[in-house]
Amino acid sequence: MTAQQPLTYNAFVELAAADPAVVGLVLKGSRAHDAMITQHSDHDLYVVVADDATTELTRFTGHRTPEFDLVIVSLAEFRAAGMPGFERYALARAQIVLDRLDGGIAHILADKARLGSDEAFQDSGRWLDAYANALYRSIKNHRDGQALAARLDAADSIRFLLELLFALDRRPRPYNKYLEWELARHPLPGWDTHVLLRAVDRISATGDVSLQRHLFALVEAAAREAGHGEVLDAWGEDLALMRTQ
């Protein structure tokens, strides 16, 4: 493409689909989420190239404009479990534009959408401890008259809480932008989406201690059922401050 003819999403897809080195095209972001597209939505595209293949499309590596961003990776890089960690949710809900691997690209995306059992258990234990820590600090700061610190810690606790709840369901946490979208279409088992989102909203905004304690009671029950009793019991007598009075 020339300066007079900037690279567009549709033009690039046509080029890539004609290139035998390309084994997959994956669209992520708001354009892969129904009802989330706005006038500002760009196209975010992964271009998956066969291992050891060569393609002239590499000249577009790093292309980024307000309308169209693309990332070119090898199949091995795309398949890698940790590639890249912050992109996992985006890929979990991505839309397949091209799959020349007879469903192989779809299989890779399905793997990214589901945490392994060991991975999920370890992650949820870590997030549970982080959640308890922020919750404890919030309530303690509230008790000691540190209103701002209490609210900030409460907001921090919500981040860890969401990581925890999705890890317990073996799913990557959605970006904040897609939280309501995700829960409306894929609710967390055992949680009322409306009640949860209302609590998340209020706690983040106000640090409501009674609501934090009520929510912790629900989390504690779910965490113990999932086998994380040791993480909670390690808090010893400090659990009393977190529980409903």
Side-chain angles (χ1 to χ4, degrees):
M1 299 298 167
T2 67
Q4 290 72 35
Q5 295 178 303
L7 181 65
T8 66
Y9 170 76
N10 290 330
F12 182 84
V13 167
E14 186 176 345
L15 283 174
D19 190 331
V22 177
V23 296
L25 295 173
V26 175
L27 182 67
K28 66 183 183 71
S30 58
R31 289 193 176 272
H33 290 70
D34 58 282
M36 291 295 292
I37 299 173
T38 74
Q39 62 178 333
H40 304 293
S41 296
D42 63 353
H43 290 84
D44 294 295
L45 188 71
Y46 266 93
V47 183
V48 186
V49 178
D51 294 331
D52 301 321
T54 57
T55 172
E56 292 185 359
L57 295 179
T58 54
R59 71 184 187 276
F60 296 117
T61 297
H63 178 83
R64 183 178 180 86
T65 69
E67 294 79 27
F68 179 37
D69 298 344
L70 65 83
V71 177
I72 301 176
V73 295
S74 70
L75 179 58
E77 290 172 329
F78 189 69
R79 184 182 285 116
M83 189 294 300
F86 62 86
E87 285 280 70
R88 187 159 186 177
Y89 173 76
L91 292 172
R93 297 297 179 210
Q95 181 182 111
I96 297 172
V97 178
L98 176 69
D99 186 346
R100 284 203 174 105
L101 300 180
D102 296 325
I105 297 296
H107 181 74
I108 292 171
L109 293 181
D111 283 345
K112 293 183 183 300
R114 191 75 174 158
L115 277 61
S117 57
D118 289 343
E119 176 188 16
F121 187 82
Q122 292 175 8
D123 284 357
S124 55
R126 177 165 55 89
W127 291 123
L128 173 61
D129 195 47
Y131 165 63
N133 184 282
L135 170 68
Y136 176 76
R137 290 177 180 276
S138 176
I139 296 176
K140 187 170 66 171
N141 281 326
H142 174 81
R143 179 199 64 190
D144 296 342
Q146 299 290 333
L148 175 59
R151 290 196 304 272
L152 292 174
D153 286 327
D156 284 345
S157 78
I158 293 303
R159 173 202 164 196
F160 303 133
L161 168 67
L162 293 173
E163 295 280 7
L164 165 62
L165 296 184
F166 280 95
L168 286 172
D169 196 36
R170 296 179 57 183
R171 291 155 61 183
R173 175 195 163 183
Y175 307 143
N176 293 331
K177 177 180 180 179
Y178 301 120
L179 177 62
E180 293 177 273
W181 183 98
E182 178 74 15
L183 290 178
R185 291 157 180 78
H186 310 281
L188 289 165
W191 291 88
D192 181 301
T193 294
H194 177 71
V195 172
L196 176 61
L197 287 176
R198 187 171 57 188
V200 164
D201 186 13
R202 181 165 178 79
I203 290 170
S204 296
T206 69
D208 186 317
V209 170
S210 62
L211 186 55
Q212 288 195 74
R213 284 173 167 153
H214 173 72
L215 188 57
F216 178 72
L218 300 177
V219 173
E220 180 174 9
R224 288 189 184 279
E225 183 178 353
H228 294 294
E230 288 187 7
V231 175
L232 291 163
D233 292 339
W235 281 87
E237 295 180 357
D238 291 334
L239 282 174
L241 190 67
M242 305 181 211
R243 290 170 171 156
T244 301
Q245 302 296 296

